[in-house]
Amino acid sequence: MRVVLAEDLFLLRDGLVRLLEAYGFEIAAAVESGPQLDRALAESAPDVAVVDVRLPPTHTDEGLQCALRAREDRPGLPVLVLSQHVEQLYARELLADGMGGVGYLLKDRVFDAEQFVDAVRRVAAGGTAMDPQVIQQLLSRRAADDRPLARLTARELEVLELMAQGRSNAAIATQLVVTERAIAKHTSNIFAKLGLEVSDDDNRRVLAVLAYLDHGR
Protein backbone atom coordinates (compact mmCIF):
# COMPACT_ATOMS: atom_id res chain seq x y z
CA MET A 1 0.00 0.00 0.00
CA ARG A 2 1.55 3.30 -1.13
CA VAL A 3 1.40 6.29 1.20
CA VAL A 4 2.18 9.97 0.69
CA LEU A 5 2.95 11.56 4.06
CA ALA A 6 3.05 15.30 4.78
CA GLU A 7 4.34 16.55 8.14
CA ASP A 8 6.58 19.57 8.68
CA LEU A 9 8.19 18.42 11.95
CA PHE A 10 11.19 16.26 11.06
CA LEU A 11 11.12 13.97 14.11
CA LEU A 12 7.39 13.27 13.79
CA ARG A 13 7.64 12.77 10.02
CA ASP A 14 10.59 10.40 10.39
CA GLY A 15 8.81 8.51 13.17
CA LEU A 16 5.67 8.09 11.07
CA VAL A 17 7.71 6.86 8.11
CA ARG A 18 9.46 4.25 10.26
CA LEU A 19 6.18 3.19 11.86
CA LEU A 20 4.33 2.75 8.57
CA GLU A 21 7.22 0.92 6.96
CA ALA A 22 7.36 -1.44 9.94
CA TYR A 23 3.73 -2.37 9.23
CA GLY A 24 4.35 -3.07 5.57
CA PHE A 25 3.38 0.25 3.96
CA GLU A 26 5.40 1.70 1.09
CA ILE A 27 6.22 5.37 1.55
CA ALA A 28 5.86 6.89 -1.90
CA ALA A 29 6.85 10.33 -0.57
CA ALA A 30 7.41 12.03 2.79
CA VAL A 31 7.28 15.81 2.45
CA GLU A 32 7.28 18.88 4.67
CA SER A 33 5.50 21.66 2.73
CA GLY A 34 2.40 22.41 0.70
CA PRO A 35 4.15 22.71 -2.68
CA GLN A 36 5.99 19.43 -2.09
CA LEU A 37 2.71 17.74 -1.17
CA ASP A 38 1.03 19.00 -4.34
CA ARG A 39 3.80 17.46 -6.44
CA ALA A 40 3.87 14.20 -4.49
CA LEU A 41 0.12 13.67 -4.78
CA ALA A 42 0.18 14.43 -8.51
CA GLU A 43 3.20 12.26 -9.32
CA SER A 44 3.02 9.34 -6.88
CA ALA A 45 -0.60 8.09 -7.28
CA PRO A 46 -0.75 6.94 -3.63
CA ASP A 47 -3.33 4.58 -2.18
CA VAL A 48 -3.77 6.99 0.74
CA ALA A 49 -2.51 10.41 1.78
CA VAL A 50 -1.68 11.16 5.43
CA VAL A 51 -1.44 14.92 5.83
CA ASP A 52 -1.00 17.55 8.51
CA VAL A 53 -3.46 20.42 8.16
CA ARG A 54 -0.89 23.20 8.66
CA LEU A 55 2.23 23.10 6.50
CA PRO A 56 4.81 25.65 5.32
CA PRO A 57 5.02 28.19 3.87
CA THR A 58 2.13 29.88 5.74
CA HIS A 59 1.24 27.21 8.32
CA THR A 60 -2.49 27.78 7.81
CA ASP A 61 -4.39 25.14 5.84
CA GLU A 62 -1.95 24.07 3.11
CA GLY A 63 -2.21 20.37 3.90
CA LEU A 64 -5.97 20.31 3.62
CA GLN A 65 -6.07 22.49 0.50
CA CYS A 66 -3.55 20.19 -1.21
CA ALA A 67 -5.69 17.19 -0.31
CA LEU A 68 -8.85 18.86 -1.60
CA ARG A 69 -7.16 19.78 -4.89
CA ALA A 70 -5.88 16.21 -5.26
CA ARG A 71 -9.40 14.85 -4.68
CA GLU A 72 -10.70 17.12 -7.44
CA ASP A 73 -8.15 15.63 -9.84
CA ARG A 74 -8.61 12.12 -8.49
CA PRO A 75 -12.12 11.79 -6.99
CA GLY A 76 -12.25 9.51 -3.98
CA LEU A 77 -8.54 9.74 -3.10
CA PRO A 78 -8.38 8.45 0.50
CA VAL A 79 -7.14 11.16 2.87
CA LEU A 80 -6.32 10.91 6.57
CA VAL A 81 -5.83 14.30 8.20
CA LEU A 82 -3.70 14.81 11.31
CA SER A 83 -4.21 17.94 13.38
CA GLN A 84 -3.46 19.44 16.76
CA HIS A 85 -7.00 20.84 17.06
CA VAL A 86 -10.56 20.22 15.94
CA GLU A 87 -10.93 22.38 12.86
CA GLN A 88 -14.65 22.11 12.06
CA LEU A 89 -14.47 23.90 8.72
CA TYR A 90 -11.61 21.68 7.56
CA ALA A 91 -13.40 18.51 8.58
CA ARG A 92 -16.61 19.58 6.87
CA GLU A 93 -14.81 20.53 3.64
CA LEU A 94 -13.11 17.18 3.49
CA LEU A 95 -16.39 15.34 4.04
CA ALA A 96 -18.44 17.48 1.70
CA ASP A 97 -18.24 15.34 -1.45
CA GLY A 98 -19.01 12.08 0.39
CA MET A 99 -16.56 10.20 -1.85
CA GLY A 100 -13.70 7.93 -0.86
CA GLY A 101 -12.14 7.17 2.49
CA VAL A 102 -11.65 10.04 4.88
CA GLY A 103 -10.23 10.41 8.35
CA TYR A 104 -9.50 13.12 10.88
CA LEU A 105 -7.32 12.30 13.88
CA LEU A 106 -6.03 14.55 16.64
CA LYS A 107 -2.29 14.03 17.11
CA ASP A 108 -2.31 14.05 20.90
CA ARG A 109 -5.13 11.49 21.03
CA VAL A 110 -3.40 8.79 19.00
CA PHE A 111 -2.23 6.56 21.82
CA ASP A 112 -0.66 3.54 20.12
CA ALA A 113 0.71 2.26 16.82
CA GLU A 114 -2.11 -0.22 16.19
CA GLN A 115 -4.73 2.54 16.52
CA PHE A 116 -2.97 4.72 13.96
CA VAL A 117 -2.17 1.92 11.51
CA ASP A 118 -5.76 0.65 11.69
CA ALA A 119 -6.98 4.16 10.85
CA VAL A 120 -4.68 4.40 7.81
CA ARG A 121 -5.81 0.99 6.55
CA ARG A 122 -9.49 1.76 7.13
CA VAL A 123 -9.30 5.04 5.22
CA ALA A 124 -7.28 3.47 2.39
CA ALA A 125 -10.01 0.83 2.07
CA GLY A 126 -12.66 3.53 1.62
CA GLY A 127 -13.86 3.77 5.20
CA THR A 128 -13.72 6.48 7.84
CA ALA A 129 -11.55 7.09 10.88
CA MET A 130 -12.83 10.08 12.83
CA ASP A 131 -11.70 11.14 16.28
CA PRO A 132 -14.70 11.19 18.65
CA GLN A 133 -14.03 14.85 19.54
CA VAL A 134 -14.32 15.84 15.88
CA ILE A 135 -17.61 13.97 15.56
CA GLN A 136 -19.00 15.45 18.77
CA GLN A 137 -18.30 19.00 17.59
CA LEU A 138 -19.88 18.36 14.20
CA LEU A 139 -22.92 16.81 15.85
CA SER A 140 -23.28 19.53 18.48
CA ARG A 141 -23.12 22.26 15.85
CA ARG A 142 -25.85 20.58 13.82
CA ALA A 143 -28.00 19.66 16.81
CA ALA A 144 -28.37 23.28 17.81
CA ASP A 145 -30.13 24.35 14.63
CA ASP A 146 -31.22 21.28 12.70
CA ARG A 147 -34.68 19.88 13.38
CA PRO A 148 -34.16 16.32 11.99
CA LEU A 149 -31.06 15.81 14.13
CA ALA A 150 -32.87 17.26 17.12
CA ARG A 151 -35.41 14.44 16.78
CA LEU A 152 -32.79 11.86 17.75
CA THR A 153 -32.79 10.52 21.28
CA ALA A 154 -29.68 10.69 23.45
CA ARG A 155 -28.99 7.03 22.76
CA GLU A 156 -29.45 7.50 19.01
CA LEU A 157 -27.00 10.40 19.05
CA GLU A 158 -24.54 8.18 20.88
CA VAL A 159 -24.96 5.46 18.27
CA LEU A 160 -24.60 8.03 15.48
CA GLU A 161 -21.30 9.26 16.92
CA LEU A 162 -19.96 5.71 16.96
CA MET A 163 -21.24 5.08 13.44
CA ALA A 164 -19.44 8.20 12.25
CA GLN A 165 -16.19 6.87 13.73
CA GLY A 166 -16.52 3.90 11.36
CA ARG A 167 -17.79 1.33 13.87
CA SER A 168 -19.92 -1.61 12.74
CA ASN A 169 -23.17 -2.53 14.51
CA ALA A 170 -21.36 -5.34 16.30
CA ALA A 171 -18.62 -2.99 17.52
CA ILE A 172 -21.19 -0.43 18.67
CA ALA A 173 -23.13 -3.10 20.55
CA THR A 174 -19.95 -4.15 22.35
CA GLN A 175 -19.08 -0.55 23.20
CA LEU A 176 -22.55 0.20 24.61
CA VAL A 177 -23.00 -3.24 26.18
CA VAL A 178 -26.27 -4.00 24.38
CA THR A 179 -27.33 -6.53 21.76
CA GLU A 180 -26.55 -6.11 18.09
CA ARG A 181 -30.29 -6.33 17.41
CA ALA A 182 -30.84 -3.27 19.60
CA ILE A 183 -28.21 -1.34 17.65
CA ALA A 184 -29.83 -2.39 14.35
CA LYS A 185 -33.11 -0.92 15.61
CA HIS A 186 -31.42 2.33 16.67
CA THR A 187 -29.70 2.52 13.28
CA SER A 188 -32.98 2.10 11.42
CA ASN A 189 -34.55 4.83 13.56
CA ILE A 190 -31.64 7.16 12.90
CA PHE A 191 -31.86 6.77 9.14
CA ALA A 192 -35.63 7.15 9.20
CA LYS A 193 -35.49 10.36 11.26
CA LEU A 194 -32.72 11.82 9.08
CA GLY A 195 -34.44 10.80 5.87
CA LEU A 196 -31.51 8.63 4.79
CA GLU A 197 -31.75 5.32 2.96
CA VAL A 198 -30.97 2.33 5.17
CA SER A 199 -27.90 0.41 4.00
CA ASP A 200 -26.02 -2.65 5.19
CA ASP A 201 -22.77 -1.12 3.90
CA ASP A 202 -21.09 0.33 7.01
CA ASN A 203 -18.78 2.69 5.09
CA ARG A 204 -21.53 3.99 2.82
CA ARG A 205 -23.91 4.61 5.70
CA VAL A 206 -21.27 6.53 7.65
CA LEU A 207 -20.41 8.67 4.65
CA ALA A 208 -24.12 9.34 4.10
CA VAL A 209 -24.56 10.47 7.70
CA LEU A 210 -21.48 12.68 7.55
CA ALA A 211 -22.61 14.13 4.22
CA TYR A 212 -25.97 14.90 5.83
CA LEU A 213 -24.28 16.61 8.76
CA ASP A 214 -22.30 18.72 6.31
CA HIS A 215 -25.37 19.61 4.21
CA GLY A 216 -26.35 23.22 4.34
CA ARG A 217 -23.28 24.45 6.21
Side-chain angles (χ1 to χ4, degrees):
M1 188 180 298
R2 290 167 52 81
V3 180
V4 164
L5 172 67
E7 167 57 56
D8 63 315
L9 297 178
F10 168 75
L11 289 178
L12 180 54
R13 183 174 67 253
D14 187 63
L16 289 172
V17 167
R18 292 173 184 269
L19 171 64
L20 290 170
E21 287 181 336
Y23 279 84
F25 292 90
E26 176 187 349
I27 305 302
V31 302
E32 61 181 345
S33 71
Q36 291 175 347
L37 178 57
D38 272 330
R39 289 195 296 272
L41 291 174
E43 297 171 0
S44 301
D47 297 303
V48 59
V50 179
V51 304
D52 190 0
V53 169
R54 299 182 180 184
L55 295 172
T58 67
H59 292 281
T60 54
D61 60 356
E62 284 89 348
L64 178 77
Q65 293 304 323
C66 289
L68 292 174
R69 284 194 293 271
R71 282 168 69 93
E72 289 179 0
D73 295 334
R74 182 183 159 191
L77 171 68
V79 175
L80 175 60
V81 173
L82 296 175
S83 179
Q84 293 283 9
H85 310 285
V86 179
E87 307 278 5
Q88 287 198 33
L89 176 60
Y90 298 152
R92 298 169 81 84
E93 282 194 65
L94 183 63
L95 296 165
D97 62 13
M99 297 177 60
V102 292
Y104 196 115
L105 299 181
L106 300 179
K107 292 179 180 179
D108 61 357
R109 286 170 51 81
V110 178
F111 301 119
D112 59 63
E114 291 287 349
Q115 175 192 6
F116 177 71
V117 169
D118 176 68
V120 176
R121 287 176 175 156
R122 192 188 311 165
V123 170
T128 57
M130 304 294 292
D131 186 280
Q133 286 192 6
V134 177
I135 297 303
Q136 287 171 5
Q137 290 209 19
L138 290 174
L139 289 172
S140 63
R141 177 172 175 176
R142 294 296 295 173
D145 60 5
D146 191 281
R147 185 171 298 174
L149 195 62
R151 296 193 190 111
L152 301 185
T153 66
R155 175 62 88 179
E156 288 166 353
L157 282 170
E158 192 173 13
V159 170
L160 181 56
E161 289 181 16
L162 293 170
M163 285 171 56
Q165 293 172 37
R167 309 280 187 94
S168 66
N169 280 2
I172 296 172
T174 300
Q175 176 77 18
L176 300 182
V177 195
V178 297
T179 66
E180 190 171 346
R181 184 175 180 178
I183 297 302
K185 182 176 180 181
H186 287 311
T187 300
S188 295
N189 289 341
I190 289 168
F191 279 109
K193 290 179 180 180
L194 299 185
L196 298 170
E197 181 180 354
V198 179
S199 169
D200 292 330
D201 185 327
D202 289 337
N203 294 332
R204 185 169 59 183
R205 74 180 189 174
V206 171
L207 291 173
V209 171
L210 291 174
Y212 170 83
L213 293 175
D214 185 76
H215 179 68
R217 69 179 187 276

